[in-house]
Structure formats: C-alpha cells, structure tokens
Amino acid sequence: MEVRVMPTTNRLPKILQRLTEVGIGVTALVATVFLLAAVFTDSALETPMEFTPAEDTYSLTSEALGTGTIHDAVGVVGFTDRSATFVALSTAKVLAYAAASLVLLVLLRNILKTLSVGTPFVDANVGRIRAIGILIPVFGFLIQGLHWATSLIVMDTVTAEGLHIEARLTPNLTYLFIGLVVVALAEVFRYGTHLQTDADLTI
C-alpha cells in the first residue's frame, strides 16, 4: 500500500535522482571503456600484493628507536604482457566493480524517485534499503576475493629476488559494518512506514 505524504518543495531528492541516473550512465560507459581496453589495448594489469623483504635486505635506522626491518609491505604489481589470464582477470575485475556500482545506483535511484514524488513510505523502499545493506558487504567481499585470487596467481607464477611474496586475504570489516547500519535503517524505515499507514487510516 502506497502512502502519499505532503509534496515537498525541496528539490534535493530530484537533484539526487538525476545525479544517480547520470552515475548509472557514466558507470556503464567507463566499464565499457575499461573492458575494451583490457581486451584490445596494451593496458597494464595491476594487482595489489603483500610482500616481505628477505631478512636484513632492507632496514631502518632511528636515533630514538634503533634499527628495524621492513615487513608486511604492500605494493602494486603491474604486468603488460597479454595472455588469456590477463584478459580474464581484467574483465572479472571490471565487471565486478561495474555490477556493484550499477545495482547500488539503481536501487538508490528508485528510492529517490519515490521521495521526489512524495511517496517514500512504501514497502518496496524497505526492501530496497535492506537490499543495499546486504549487497554492500557482499560486493565488498567479492571484490576483495578477486584481488586475493589475482594475488594467488601472481604468487604461483613469479619470483622476485630478495622478496617473499604472499597472498593474504584480509577481509575489510568496514563493508560489513556499513551493511549492518543500512539494514538497521531499513528496519527503522519499515517501522516508520507502518506508523504512517496507521496514522492515515485513523484520519
């Protein structure tokens, strides 16, 4: 059941709706360009890697703390040789980022659309907000998994003199925290929707 609230003169919802629509178009365009670049150009495949220098290879000296060694460093490895693995990994990363961005932008656009016409308190928006809360950590962990898979392939196929290359999967719990907050907001919005429905029925 849709509950129409008093129309607002605030133009912000419509502006945000238009911005999300522009974002959808830009995301699709950028994803297409990157996919074409991965397949047809000499762009480099870059993947984050964690590495530990061999013992005593690199050291630091501090007047206050003495000497130390560098460990658990993070770098970006760039490969320019084209191969089937190169194209597959580049394509997977571009598609993952594009899919995540497009799905979230479409959901946000639909929420703003109802807000701009004065009917935000609908059950569909509760589902959309909840979906955003679930998809944020899912997409975040998916992209992290792709980086980890790339690191595994690099670790198994290359050698680096003086470095111990490691592929570590360190989940970023920030995605999970943000997702939980958004899901909680969906429940608050659901409760507000029921209150608005009850209030309209008593008038």
Side-chain angles (χ1 to χ4, degrees), residues 136-155:
I136 286 175
V138 168
F139 284 140
F141 294 144
L142 172 63
I143 291 171
Q144 286 184 322
L146 284 173
H147 285 311
W148 180 60
T150 304
S151 299
L152 283 175
I153 293 173
V154 172
M155 183 183 66

Side-chain angles (χ1 to χ4, degrees), residues 11-22:
R11 296 181 180 179
L12 182 59
K14 288 188 177 181
I15 293 174
L16 292 176
Q17 179 187 344
R18 295 294 178 261
L19 287 177
T20 56
E21 292 170 352
V22 171

